[in-house]
Amino acid sequence: MREQLAKTLGEVFWTDLRAHAARDGIILVAADLDLLDVGEAVAANDAAKVQAWIAAGKLTKPTAEDLARWPLQLDLRFLSLVVAPFVLVRRPASPPPS
């Protein structure tokens, strides 16, 4: 399964994710988790692992603020992994303060 998931792992622009955001299909993955590990757990319906990550705040949905800010950043990229019907993404680093 990991090998199949790895084929969908890659960098995408925000514009590639808009349709997934519109259908509430994006899951943000904390920087300290491996996207493939999370993808395997989601694909295998490993509820114990997934619920533990959710409880720890390591798997979240984009906030309204995220969804308002991201389209304004034309070159914004995410590392993404498709685990239908979801797209797991790594939250981009915060821009440096101005």
Side-chain angles (χ1 to χ4, degrees):
M1 180 185 321
R2 189 175 186 91
E3 196 172 295
Q4 286 297 106
L5 289 172
K7 292 177 184 178
T8 70
L9 181 67
E11 194 172 270
V12 297
F13 286 100
W14 167 249
T15 53
D16 300 317
L17 295 172
R18 286 187 302 202
H20 301 290
R23 65 172 182 75
D24 197 30
I26 293 179
I27 298 174
L28 296 169
V29 178
D32 63 335
L33 294 179
D34 180 274
L35 276 175
L36 287 172
D37 289 344
V38 175
E40 281 184 306
V42 170
N45 290 321
D46 187 336
K49 274 187 185 175
V50 172
Q51 288 298 325
W53 289 327
I54 291 170
K58 293 181 181 285
L59 296 182
T60 61
K61 292 287 192 165
T63 65
E65 180 183 291
D66 291 334
L67 295 173
R69 184 180 66 244
W70 291 341
L72 303 176
Q73 301 170 354
L74 300 179
D75 61 346
L76 182 60
R77 297 176 186 195
F78 294 81
L79 183 59
S80 73
L81 177 66
V82 176
V83 183
F86 302 107
V87 179
L88 307 176
V89 299
R90 172 87 63 229
R91 185 186 298 268
S94 298
S98 305

